[in-house]
Amino acid sequence: MNNDTLSRLSKTTIRLHWVIAFLMIMLLASGIYMASTETFALYSWHKSFGILVFGIAVIRIAWRIKQGWPKHVGDYSLIERALSKATHWILILGTVAMPISGIVMNAMGGYGVEAFGVELFPTNTGPEGPFDFVAINEPVADFAHAVHSLAGDVLVIAVALHILGALKHHLLDRDATIRRMLGSSTQG
Ligand code: HEM
Ligand code: HEM
């Protein structure tokens, strides 16, 4: 890794971060809202964008494996580094755990899986018509549902912690952590 890599983040890292950050925040908010208010009109959008996140997240994880994690901008305490590392791991794993659990709960629950109108897994309906969804494997669907809800709660906390951490760097440490993720160098 050369000095430039330390002071700047690549365009790929920055673009992938902000696209996924935006979609994840939208999906967490829409998921909690639609599940608690039973707003079924949102479900198909939620599922389609959730599957889109999955595709982008796989590329991002491949990018992380190739590049490693970004180096810290400053000399932070051991606790701070550990907390930030743990949060980054939870966030990045959440970008695949959420879509996978969502897909499994829908596919195994008999609801089928569709992304932007393209059928990826068929519905499984009973004798009472097209909305009589019959589970293919109920225990697996229930387990995936529980994972989706629990991981969703964990992610809301992790995202809040992550944003607070970023703001702490910007407002208290006054370092370049946020500026670097916005595309400027640590010197700039
Ligand atoms: C307004 C919201 C957000 C802000 C201000 C923000 C800010 C930042 C900043 C400044 C960094 C660089 C940290 C460093 O240099 O060590 C970073 C890294 C990271 N952020 Fe965010 N972030 C936000 C939302 C999210 C969300 C929703 C996710 C969920 C997936 C996320 C996942 C990550 C990950 C995994 C990293 C590690 C570096 C990487 O893989 O690109 N961020 N974020
Ligand atoms: C990154 C992607 C995703 C995120 C962050 C996310 C987040 C959430 C959250 C936080 C909830 C509320 C859970 C609750 O309160 O019980 C939820 C509900 C839901 N999600 Fe996702 N989701 C994602 C992807 C998906 C995918 C890919 C599917 C299906 C293909 C899906 C299907 C659903 C369904 C059907 C519900 C409603 C469950 C209910 O009515 O209890 N989600 N999602």
Side-chain angles (χ1 to χ4, degrees):
M1 187 179 288
N2 60 35
N3 285 338
D4 203 41
T5 327
L6 284 178
S7 58
R8 280 179 186 276
L9 295 175
S10 70
K11 282 202 173 74
T12 310
T13 290
I14 295 170
R15 284 180 189 148
L16 287 172
H17 175 266
W18 290 115
V19 168
I20 293 204
F22 174 75
L23 290 173
M24 284 297 284
I25 290 172
M26 289 298 156
L27 284 160
L28 288 169
S30 67
I32 291 166
Y33 175 79
M34 71 185 202
S36 57
T37 57
E38 302 202 343
T39 309
F40 297 115
L42 282 178
Y43 275 48
S44 115
W45 287 109
H46 178 87
K47 294 178 196 180
S48 297
F49 279 100
I51 290 168
L52 179 65
V53 164
F54 187 44
I56 306 173
V58 169
I59 298 173
R60 185 179 189 202
I61 289 173
W63 182 248
R64 276 284 141 269
I65 291 170
K66 185 168 170 278
Q67 297 283 105
W69 294 95
K71 290 263 183 287
H72 296 290
V73 168
D75 271 336
Y76 308 125
S77 69
L78 191 65
I79 290 188
E80 205 172 332
R81 275 184 284 144
L83 200 60
S84 117
K85 179 106 301 178
T87 311
H88 289 170
W89 270 101
I90 292 172
L91 291 174
I92 211 157
L93 290 178
T95 60
V96 287
M98 291 307 286
I100 291 174
S101 56
I103 290 168
V104 172
M105 94 174 146
N106 276 265
M108 291 301 109
Y111 300 101
V113 181
E114 217 184 78
F116 303 105
V118 178
E119 185 181 86
L120 304 176
F121 197 91
T123 52
N124 188 41
T125 48
E128 280 161 41
F131 296 107
D132 176 22
F133 300 110
V134 179
I136 295 173
N137 188 328
E138 206 165 345
V140 172
D142 287 348
F143 177 72
H145 194 166
V147 170
H148 204 71
S149 294
L150 185 69
D153 291 344
V154 171
L155 277 170
V156 169
I157 296 169
V159 170
L161 208 59
H162 181 65
I163 295 176
L164 283 177
L167 287 175
K168 184 236 171 216
H169 285 303
H170 197 67
L171 301 173
L172 299 181
D173 302 337
R174 293 177 183 277
D175 67 27
T177 304
I178 288 191
R179 271 184 284 133
R180 189 173 69 155
M181 194 44 104
L182 288 170
S184 45
S185 82
T186 51
Q187 284 96 35

